[in-house]
Amino acid sequence: MEPVLVSLESGVLHVTLNRPEKLNAFNPALHKGLADAMSRAESEAAIRCLLITGAGRGFCAGQDLGERDMKAAAIDLGSGLETWYNPLVKRMRALPKPIVCAVNGVAAGAGANFALACDLVLAARSASFIQAFVKIGLVPDCGGSYFLPRLAGTQRAMALAMTGDRLSAEDAERWGLIWKCVDDADLKKESEKLSLQLASGPTRSLGLIKKAIYDSAGNDLAAQLDLERDLQREVGKGKDYREGVAAFLEKRKPDFKGQ
Ligand code: T3D
């Protein structure tokens, strides 16, 4: 069974974590499948949006805890982060295309933070988010200690990380951790609709919107204004800008080509 299912439909690269018997926990094969999907997304112009979800009843239960040699005298957990998780999160953030996540069930540990690394997160009402690390004596990884305080504030981030309590999808929406919580039966339809909308949008503009929003975390206002000027200059040279304005003036729907 392939640990990651990948298919391209109408500009959307559908990426499905596929180890349902382990709630799609990360192992090297799953990481490799994700890395390959990222390589496709980076190199193929026909891919204009990614839609990530999980097979079965869970989204992703984080690191596969059965994979570590607990009899070993010393275990270097830093090396797994260096090899797999950190490059994955960096590539997701740097990808100049939108990544939609459809959280179909529980998202725990690195699985929760992998979801938060996506650009727009939808979750089924029955889904939940667990910073499970503390329950096994670890600290948040896969970007959790960066995303949580920025999205939810210091107190809520601290409480989630220190208690490992389960956060419902509804609370995750209320706290601003995710974009939207939808009824379970609607998750597929809603996430595909959003992905198709983004895949037919001005891809270059969407990629630079992503850069502007993420870079703002490290910029002061003056630096951000400069960045906006530079990005606007760049997208202003694109065909999609001309098409957008022409469509507005001609009172028709724009036909963006992602250029
Ligand atoms: O090692 C490093 O590289 C360090 C990096 C760490 C990053 C991390 O992600 S650390 C955090 C790892 N994840 C966890 O600690 C979560 C462990 N899982 C759970 O707490 C629970 O499974 C859930 C709360 C996520 C879901 O609970 P529930 O009751 O809905 O399902 P379940 O019965 O516990 O799990 C279903 C099956 O999936 C079960 O297998 P079985 O008994 O039917 O054969 C369970 O063992 C398996 N499973 C769930 N999570 C993992 C897992 N197997 C391996 N690793 C898992 N993380």
Side-chain angles (χ1 to χ4, degrees):
M1 193 162 73
E2 288 297 318
V4 178
L5 304 176
V6 179
S7 65
L8 177 59
E9 290 163 43
S10 308
V12 179
L13 192 70
H14 294 252
V15 178
T16 304
L17 311 181
N18 190 36
R19 300 185 70 219
E21 72 293 349
K22 298 278 182 197
L23 301 182
N24 305 315
F26 286 106
N27 68 356
L30 189 140
H31 273 298
K32 173 78 172 56
L34 280 177
D36 290 348
M38 287 305 299
S39 297
R40 278 194 66 182
E42 285 161 356
S43 62
E44 293 180 28
I47 296 172
R48 294 170 65 185
C49 177
L50 264 70
L51 172 55
I52 300 178
T53 194
R57 72 177 176 88
F59 172 68
C60 176
Q63 171 63 35
D64 187 324
L65 298 176
E67 292 272 325
R68 299 279 170 251
D69 177 8
M70 300 309 282
K71 293 200 180 107
I75 305 174
D76 176 11
L77 295 184
S79 94
L81 299 186
E82 200 67 39
T83 308
W84 296 116
Y85 293 101
N86 294 0
L88 173 63
V89 172
K90 287 177 189 167
R91 289 175 85 180
M92 290 167 74
R93 287 283 158 141
L95 185 73
K97 299 171 183 180
I99 305 180
V100 175
C101 186
V103 180
N104 53 299
V106 65
N113 297 334
F114 170 58
L116 300 183
C118 297
D119 303 315
L120 284 171
V121 185
L122 279 73
R125 205 165 298 282
S126 68
S128 55
F129 298 81
I130 309 175
Q131 294 295 319
F133 308 90
V134 69
K135 302 213 173 195
I136 54 169
L138 296 182
V139 299
D141 62 18
C142 204
S145 61
Y146 180 91
F147 303 134
L148 288 171
R150 284 171 171 76
L151 293 169
T154 307
Q155 271 294 298
R156 284 170 165 170
M158 197 70 82
L160 289 174
M162 284 193 164
T163 64
D165 281 354
R166 189 186 288 261
L167 187 73
S168 69
E170 282 176 356
D171 282 343
E173 179 191 299
R174 209 162 46 78
W175 288 15
L177 275 183
I178 65 169
W179 161 232
K180 231 189 233 182
C181 162
V182 300
D183 288 340
D184 288 22
D186 295 335
L187 181 68
K188 189 170 182 309
K189 185 182 68 191
E190 290 278 331
S191 58
E192 287 180 354
K193 189 173 147 204
L194 176 62
S195 301
L196 281 171
Q197 178 189 332
L198 295 171
S200 58
T203 309
R204 190 74 192 122
S205 154
L206 292 168
L208 294 183
I209 288 171
K210 180 166 164 172
K211 180 175 171 53
I213 301 286
Y214 291 145
D215 282 10
S216 75
N219 283 343
D220 62 16
L221 178 60
Q224 192 66 15
L225 288 170
D226 286 351
L227 177 65
E228 289 178 358
R229 175 203 58 213
D230 294 344
L231 300 183
Q232 206 69 296
R233 190 167 273 153
E234 189 174 336
V235 276
K237 293 176 190 155
K239 288 188 182 156
D240 281 340
Y241 164 62
R242 290 180 186 273
E243 166 61 10
V245 174
F248 174 79
L249 295 176
E250 291 160 23
K251 299 190 187 307
R252 60 172 172 84
K253 223 173 142 257
D255 179 16
F256 292 122
K257 303 287 189 206
Q259 296 159 349

